[in-house]
Amino acid sequence: MKKKLIAALVITVSCFTMFEAGMKAGAAQATPGSSGDPLITQSYLEAQLENVEGASYKKVNLAKGKTLKARQGTEFVIYSGSGTVTGSGLINLTSGELFERGMSAVMYSHYLSPASGCGVKAAGSMVIFIKGNYTIE
């Protein structure tokens, strides 16, 4: 009886250890949100942005060092890349926060320009979907 209990315990611990090792190995394969483990596909996002009723988002590629300056009321979503907020700040409609000048813009968040001249400066190349008037400098 004692040998059966010890054997069952050893098998249980071995199975648990192999399960945990497999979970860690699988989780290490790809970073969440990366191209290896995307939350959504690019084609899905583009289709959704193009099909927004009453709205027409335009895809804009912003090169490193360039600044996108939006007019008051312009909306945009940063699809890829990173940048910093310029002007008097941006309203992040996704989180409800005010992003002040110099703060890092967050990908996949919906931004609103509260005043003309607000925008984002690209730290690297960026892809932005935008609705409204803007300039690139």
Side-chain angles (χ1 to χ4, degrees):
M1 175 76 172
K2 202 173 198 180
K3 287 183 181 181
K4 287 184 180 180
L5 182 61
I6 291 173
L9 183 62
V10 168
I11 291 171
T12 304
V13 170
S14 297
C15 288
F16 181 76
T17 303
M18 288 189 301
F19 175 77
E20 285 294 316
M23 289 297 290
K24 288 183 182 178
Q29 296 277 336
T31 304
S34 69
S35 61
D37 181 25
L39 299 175
I40 60 172
T41 63
Q42 181 178 358
S43 60
Y44 174 81
L45 177 65
E46 289 174 355
Q48 294 305 308
L49 289 173
E50 288 173 3
N51 293 328
V52 175
E53 197 170 310
S56 179
Y57 283 83
K58 178 182 176 187
K59 182 178 178 181
V60 175
N61 294 306
L62 192 61
K64 179 179 180 177
K66 295 290 186 180
T67 302
L68 180 140
K69 291 188 176 183
R71 299 275 295 233
Q72 182 177 7
T74 298
E75 302 174 39
F76 61 91
V77 176
I78 298 173
Y79 180 73
S80 68
S82 61
T84 55
V85 175
T86 62
S88 59
L90 294 169
I91 299 169
N92 184 324
L93 297 173
T94 305
S95 67
E97 298 176 87
L98 174 63
F99 276 49
E100 296 178 2
R101 181 184 3 204
M103 293 178 70
S104 293
V106 179
M107 283 196 320
Y108 311 119
S109 288
H110 187 182
Y111 290 99
L112 174 69
S113 176
S116 292
C118 299
V120 63
K121 181 175 183 176
S125 89
M126 297 177 75
V127 175
I128 300 171
F129 285 88
I130 190 163
K131 178 178 77 169
N133 298 319
Y134 65 93
T135 60
I136 295 177
E137 298 177 1

